[in-house]
């Protein structure tokens, strides 16, 4: 999917969306369903857009409107301090999850996927340690 199709204001690029086994949480499946809906309504513009309570498409979502939706989702999920979450949380959380020991993705792959310059220290700042004891480099060294 290209960034232009997503309605993002960045140079056009193609992003692969991964299929996962959990059908209700599969980003590729949900994106395809959404594309089917907008195509059936003759929409040829941005995928990331608002829909009003009557089902009418609105303009592209702004960074502020995405922030409001993330905060509302954090509140609905019962997270502590939901006002502290933002669209930026999605970038940092995605990088952290990809780098976690269970996922084990390389920093290079994470940087490329997140559109960070491969040598940028910024992506390292986004990766948060999930478990500082499990990831401690001194663990098991006998010191």
């Amino acid at each position: 999917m290209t960034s232009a199709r997503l309605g993002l204001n960045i140079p056009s690029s193609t992003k692969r969306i991964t299929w996962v086994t959990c059908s209700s949480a599969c980003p590729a499946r949900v994106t395809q369903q959404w594309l089917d809906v907008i195509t059936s309504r003759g929409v040829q513009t941005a995928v990331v857009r608002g829909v009003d309570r009557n089902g009418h498409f609105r303009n592209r979502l702004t960074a502020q409107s995405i922030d409001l939706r993330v905060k509302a989702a954090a509140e609905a999920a019962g997270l502590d301090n939901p006002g502290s979450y933002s669209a930026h949380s999605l970038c940092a959380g995605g990088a952290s999850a990809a780098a976690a020991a269970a996922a084990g993705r390389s920093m290079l792959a994470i940087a490329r996927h997140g559109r960070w310059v491969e040598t940028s220290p910024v992506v390292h700042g986004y990766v948060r340690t999930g478990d500082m004891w499990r990831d401690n480099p001194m663990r098991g060294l006998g010191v």
Side-chain angles (χ1 to χ4, degrees):
M1 176 168 296
T2 67
S3 57
R5 180 77 168 141
L6 287 171
L8 304 175
N9 210 6
I10 56 176
S12 186
S13 68
T14 300
K15 283 289 176 203
R16 293 183 178 170
I17 301 175
T18 305
W19 289 84
V20 297
T21 56
C22 178
S23 63
S24 64
C26 176
R29 187 172 284 110
V30 171
T31 301
Q32 186 58 59
Q33 290 169 344
W34 179 241
L35 288 171
D36 293 345
V37 167
I38 64 172
T39 301
S40 72
R41 294 188 184 188
V43 175
Q44 297 294 319
T45 62
V47 174
V48 181
R49 44 189 320 109
V51 179
D52 68 18
R53 63 183 174 173
N54 297 314
H56 299 113
F57 291 111
R58 295 293 178 209
N59 295 329
R60 293 178 176 180
L61 295 179
T62 64
Q64 180 182 13
S65 64
I66 293 171
D67 278 346
L68 292 173
R69 284 165 174 79
V70 169
K71 290 175 192 323
E75 184 173 4
L79 299 177
D80 293 336
N81 195 12
S84 67
Y85 293 87
S86 69
H88 182 264
S89 303
L90 302 175
C91 294
S96 294
R105 301 302 185 263
S106 72
M107 291 303 284
L108 177 62
I110 294 167
R112 286 180 178 165
H113 184 79
R115 299 180 53 94
W116 290 290
V117 174
E118 295 170 8
T119 57
S120 173
V122 174
V123 69
H124 292 277
Y126 286 163
V127 173
R128 299 180 185 126
T129 303
D131 181 340
M132 68 181 193
W133 299 112
R134 183 194 67 222
D135 297 335
N136 189 315
M138 299 290 113
R139 183 175 179 203
L141 296 181
V143 290

